[in-house]
Amino acid sequence: MDAIAHAATRRLDSSLHGVGAPAPVIPVESVRTLSVTADYRLSEVGRKASLLNGGNGRAEQRVKVAVPLARLHLVHVDANGMARLKLRPQFKMSADHRVIKIKLAPVYDHPPTIDELFQDAARNHELERAYHAQRTTAQAAKRETLDEWRNQVALEFLGDPNRRAVVYPPPSKRRCQVMTDRGPVHFDAKRDMGVARQVPLEAFRRFDNDVRISHGRGADQRSRNLARHAQRQQMMHEWIGVHGSHDQRERLSAGVLPFEEFVDALTEITFRPLSHLAPYQTDGAAKMQEQLRQLPGHANVVVTPNDLSVVTRLLPTATATQWSLVNEIRSIIPGAQVQLRERSLAWTRDAHAPRLRVISALVTTRVGPVLLRREFHVPDSAPDVPARTQEDELMKA
C-alpha cells in the first residue's frame, strides 16, 4: 500500500493502451462533448507547482473536463446525475500481479494536463474490468470450496445414523441445521444440489422417529407413575382404616384427606423407636446469635436467617461416637439408610466471625411404596476447635 502512504510521480504504464494515437484535428464546433468532474490530489511538490502557475495550491483538486463522446466509457455517472472521470477509486497492479483497489484519488507532483487525466482514466478503466473479473474468479473458487465442504458434511451426516440435526428450530422436510466444528450449517432441499439436498429429509425422519420413541417412553413412565400412585392410595386407605382417627377416616371417605397428612402420621409411627434422639431443628440463626454474643463487642448482635450462609455436605469422617449412633439407628430400623451430614454456618455480615459447625443424621426408609425420611441432631459432635473445611478455605479466600 505504498501507493497510498507515499505520493509518487505519476508514470504512464506502457503495458496498457491509454487513449491511443492523437485523433485528427476536427473543428471544435463539430464535436459533441460532456462536461464532467475530475478529482485528483497534489503532493507537496505539486502544490508548490500549482502556486507557481497561479493555482490555489490545495491538496484536493476538482476541475471540469470536456469529454468527447468517443471517450464516454471513461466517465461514470452516479444516481444523482453527477458525471465524474474514472480516477477514483484507483486500480493498481500489486507486486504479486493482482489488481488492488484504492479508494483515494490519484496523486500528482504537478498539475496534470487533460491528456494525462484521460490517460490515467483509461488505465483505471481497464484495470477495473480486470479487478472485477479477478473477484468473480475468486468468488467462484470460494463457492466451489464451500460446496465441496458442505457435501462432505452431508455425506458424514447421512453415513452416521447416530447424528442428529439441531432440534431448535426443529428440522422439517425442507430445512434443517447440522452442527459442525465451524458452527451450524443450513441445508435446504429446494436450494441445495447433489447429496446436500438429501440431508433435510433424513434429518426430519430421524427427528420424527426420536419424538415417537420419546412419547412412548413418556407413556410408559406415566403408566408406572399411575400404578405407583394407585399403590400409595391403596396403602393410605388400608393404614388409615387401621391406625387413623375417626376424623381421618371420615375425611378419607369423603376424598379430602391430604396424602401429606398420611405420610406425616406414618413417619411418626415408623420413627417412634428413635424418639430418644432429638430431631434436627433449622435454628441456625438462633445458634449463631448465641455463639456471637459470647464474643467481645457482639453482646447485642442480632442474626436473622437472611444473614446466614450455609454449606451442607456429607461428613467425610466420623468419630467413634458418631459411628456408634449410625449403627444404633440401623439396628433399631432395619434396612434404613443413614447419612451423616455436616453444615457449616457463616455470618455474612462479618467474614472474620467464627463459623458454626452442626452435624446431623439423615435417616431414610421405605414402607411399601412410600419413602420416609427424618433428620436427627447428633449431639456433642463438634470439636472445641472446628477443622477447616474446603468450603471454609474458599470463602476465606
Side-chain angles (χ1 to χ4, degrees), residues 353-382:
R355 296 174 181 272
L356 180 64
R357 183 167 175 262
V358 181
I359 307 298
S360 64
L362 177 63
V363 184
T364 58
T365 186
R366 185 174 292 277
V367 179
V370 181
L371 182 66
L372 307 176
R373 54 178 289 162
R374 179 160 287 185
E375 195 166 3
F376 299 94
H377 177 69
V378 179
D380 301 328
S381 58

Side-chain angles (χ1 to χ4, degrees), residues 111-138:
T113 64
I114 299 300
D115 288 338
E116 287 177 329
L117 292 177
F118 283 163
Q119 186 77 21
D120 288 348
R123 180 188 298 107
N124 226 29
H125 174 68
E126 292 191 2
L127 289 178
E128 181 181 12
R129 291 190 300 178
Y131 173 79
H132 290 301
Q134 172 184 283
R135 288 194 61 186
T136 302
T137 303

Side-chain angles (χ1 to χ4, degrees), residues 69-138:
L69 295 182
R71 293 180 176 178
L72 285 184
H73 61 281
L74 305 181
V75 178
H76 171 71
V77 181
D78 62 18
N80 296 321
M82 178 66 70
R84 289 185 175 87
L85 201 61
K86 290 186 178 180
L87 296 175
R88 186 180 63 178
Q90 300 180 74
F91 296 92
K92 290 180 173 294
M93 191 72 69
S94 64
D96 57 352
H97 304 290
R98 296 178 63 254
V99 181
I100 60 175
K101 183 178 180 180
I102 303 173
K103 295 182 178 180
L104 299 177
V107 180
Y108 296 92
D109 287 337
H110 60 85
T113 64
I114 299 300
D115 288 338
E116 287 177 329
L117 292 177
F118 283 163
Q119 186 77 21
D120 288 348
R123 180 188 298 107
N124 226 29
H125 174 68
E126 292 191 2
L127 289 178
E128 181 181 12
R129 291 190 300 178
Y131 173 79
H132 290 301
Q134 172 184 283
R135 288 194 61 186
T136 302
T137 303

Side-chain angles (χ1 to χ4, degrees), residues 288-329:
M288 175 63 74
Q289 177 175 292
E290 180 182 357
Q291 175 178 282
L292 292 176
R293 287 187 175 183
Q294 298 176 7
L295 301 177
H298 294 75
N300 298 321
V301 70
V302 176
V303 180
T304 65
N306 294 331
D307 299 332
L308 284 184
S309 172
V310 182
V311 177
T312 305
R313 66 170 186 172
L314 295 179
L315 192 65
T317 59
T319 64
T321 303
Q322 295 166 353
W323 191 246
S324 175
L325 178 62
V326 171
N327 290 329
E328 177 186 353
I329 294 175

Side-chain angles (χ1 to χ4, degrees), residues 309 311-313 344 346 351-352 355 387-397:
S309 172
V311 177
T312 305
R313 66 170 186 172
S344 178
H352 301 288
R355 296 174 181 272
R388 304 294 295 182
T389 63
Q390 183 179 5
E391 289 81 0
D392 295 339
E393 299 298 332
L394 291 175
M395 295 191 67
K396 181 179 179 181

